[in-house]
Amino acid sequence: MNASLYYYTFKIIMAGDAAVGKTSLVRRYIHHTFKENYLITIGVQVSTTEIKIEKATIKLIVWDVAGQKTFQTVLPLYFKGADAAILVFDITNRNTFNNVENWLKRIRETEPNSVVILCGNKTDMTYARVVKREEAEKKAQELGVLDYIETSAKTGDGVQELFLITVKRCLEKRLKAIKKVT
Ligand code: GDP
Ligand code: MG
């Protein structure tokens, strides 16, 4: 047995418009599968997984919230206490990209200090791409979001990287907060 010296728990929320691939990204990362048929997420679905980085064991609690308008009034309840938000848009759908700002505003209203990672999903659909990487990187910068990651929940491209960078940012923040009080 390889005992961990440190144990952290992080709450991560998936944010972004309906059908951008939030549920698919979680499914790909945690369950290593992908489904073509579209299942509307009702309310919220919570999944957990553990990862090890050096001497630390990190428990991730991933909240997958529905993007449907009817759920938006209860969103602050879901966002509360989030260490990080993965804000997803669909690179083949400009509307979902335009809505990133609104989502960010919502997240920051509830958790002003949480880590935010911008994610452009569906990179396997190269022929249908309407949002260029450079454009998304620029937007992230303008909005004060540190990281922009492109993914395909279908092929799995970038998905490990997405969750790993999210966890690393959470760790950095947690360690900084610990330094401040000691
Ligand atoms: P959510 O509403 O944001 O949770 O979106 P879903 O994960 O339910 O995905 C919506 C639709 O997009 C489904 O039909 C998925 O199969 C499809 N989808 C999700 N991610 C990808 C991807 O990376 N590539 C492709 N081609 N389709 C995707
Ligand atoms: Mg969903």
Side-chain angles (χ1 to χ4, degrees):
M1 272 283 280
N2 200 349
S4 291
L5 278 178
Y6 306 99
Y7 200 93
Y8 301 95
T9 302
F10 295 127
K11 173 179 173 179
I12 297 173
I13 53 156
M14 304 302 292
D17 282 0
V20 294
K22 301 180 295 297
T23 302
S24 300
L25 284 167
V26 175
R27 201 178 280 142
R28 165 63 68 197
Y29 181 66
I30 295 183
H31 309 290
H32 314 288
T33 57
F34 178 79
K35 275 187 191 156
E36 290 284 353
N37 46 343
Y38 179 46
L39 278 175
I40 292 173
T41 314
I42 307 284
V44 67
Q45 192 164 10
V46 181
S47 325
T48 62
T49 187
E50 260 184 19
I51 63 167
K52 288 189 164 50
I53 299 180
E54 292 174 21
K55 287 177 185 150
T57 295
I58 294 138
K59 182 175 183 184
L60 295 187
I61 305 172
V62 184
W63 290 49
D64 179 21
V65 305
Q68 278 70 23
K69 286 230 157 36
T70 41
F71 295 109
Q72 296 210 357
T73 47
V74 289
L75 279 181
L77 278 173
Y78 298 135
F79 289 167
K80 196 91 199 133
D83 294 287
I86 296 177
L87 208 180
V88 188
F89 71 91
D90 174 352
I91 62 150
T92 72
N93 181 335
R94 184 157 290 275
N95 243 336
T96 68
F97 181 64
N98 294 338
N99 277 335
V100 160
E101 241 171 297
N102 285 330
W103 280 103
L104 189 65
K105 219 172 94 193
R106 281 238 160 77
I107 295 160
R108 290 199 167 142
E109 271 165 13
T110 308
E111 282 299 338
N113 299 316
S114 72
V115 167
V116 178
I117 309 285
L118 184 63
C119 169
N121 187 41
K122 307 198 186 180
T123 52
D124 58 284
M125 296 173 73
T126 33
Y127 53 91
R129 182 194 274 265
V130 293
V131 180
K132 286 203 180 107
R133 180 191 276 272
E134 298 75 44
E135 192 182 354
E137 280 170 347
K138 199 167 149 241
K139 167 105 101 187
Q141 231 173 22
E142 282 167 7
L143 296 174
V145 169
L146 285 180
D147 304 281
Y148 172 63
I149 311 283
E150 294 203 328
T151 55
S152 165
K154 186 169 183 172
T155 66
D157 265 6
V159 176
Q160 287 288 333
E161 189 196 354
L162 171 69
F163 283 89
L164 200 61
I165 192 93
T166 306
V167 169
K168 281 190 173 161
R169 292 290 185 205
C170 288
L171 263 178
E172 282 170 14
K173 225 191 95 207
R174 186 72 58 93
L175 294 176
K176 255 192 214 157
I178 291 170
K179 257 193 196 150
K180 262 189 200 156
V181 292
T182 51

